[in-house]
Amino acid sequence: IFTYGVFMLSLLTNFTFIFISTTTITDQIGRYRYLMICFAVMDVIVSIIHIIVMPGIQLTSVGYIFFGYNLLDKPDIVCSWAVTLFVIFFYQTTVVLAFHYIYRYAVVCE
């Protein structure tokens, strides 16, 4: 229940932010708006993939096994691609955050 509630909250808040950001015109935000919209879109994608995969982790003595609870009865190829997409988009948020810091540095240096 918690996971689905947070999923719905994520969709609601991010779509609201995207709607407000795209319909409101202000010069104060400028190009920063596009970076924030990119964050919101990435969060929506991660939330959707998270609810599809429902990731689980099993720790072992040599590492860990990452799997999706919702994919246990699916074919191996579907599981492999879904889990790979989850990992890619999960860490894509970190890449967008790096661009955020670069943007802030560039603005401060101006």
Side-chain angles (χ1 to χ4, degrees), residues 42 45-57 64-68 71 78-96:
M42 278 295 145
I45 292 171
V46 168
S47 295
I48 290 170
I49 293 176
H50 187 275
I51 210 74
I52 290 170
V53 173
M54 282 295 206
I57 297 174
Y64 63 92
I65 301 168
F66 181 79
F67 61 95
L71 303 173
V78 172
C79 296
S80 296
W81 279 104
V83 169
T84 301
L85 282 175
F86 176 81
V87 171
I88 288 170
F89 282 109
F90 185 80
Y91 288 108
Q92 195 67 22
T93 309
T94 306
V95 173
V96 175

Side-chain angles (χ1 to χ4, degrees), residues 3-109:
T3 302
Y4 289 106
V6 171
F7 170 72
M8 294 306 295
L9 182 64
S10 171
L11 292 182
L12 177 70
T13 55
N14 283 301
F15 281 129
T16 302
F17 174 76
I18 291 169
F19 175 75
I20 291 171
S21 295
T22 56
T23 58
T24 305
I25 297 176
T26 178
D27 291 336
Q28 291 177 332
I29 297 176
R31 296 177 303 195
Y32 190 65
R33 165 193 338 238
Y34 302 113
L35 186 60
M36 295 308 293
I37 290 172
C38 189
F39 266 115
V41 168
M42 278 295 145
D43 191 41
V44 167
I45 292 171
V46 168
S47 295
I48 290 170
I49 293 176
H50 187 275
I51 210 74
I52 290 170
V53 173
M54 282 295 206
I57 297 174
Q58 178 66 44
L59 297 175
T60 67
S61 61
V62 294
Y64 63 92
I65 301 168
F66 181 79
F67 61 95
Y69 282 111
N70 287 345
L71 303 173
L72 293 176
D73 59 342
K74 305 292 187 257
D76 290 342
I77 190 74
V78 172
C79 296
S80 296
W81 279 104
V83 169
T84 301
L85 282 175
F86 176 81
V87 171
I88 288 170
F89 282 109
F90 185 80
Y91 288 108
Q92 195 67 22
T93 309
T94 306
V95 173
V96 175
L97 184 63
F99 283 119
H100 178 253
Y101 285 116
I102 292 168
Y103 177 84
R104 285 175 45 190
Y105 178 76
V107 168
V108 168
C109 288

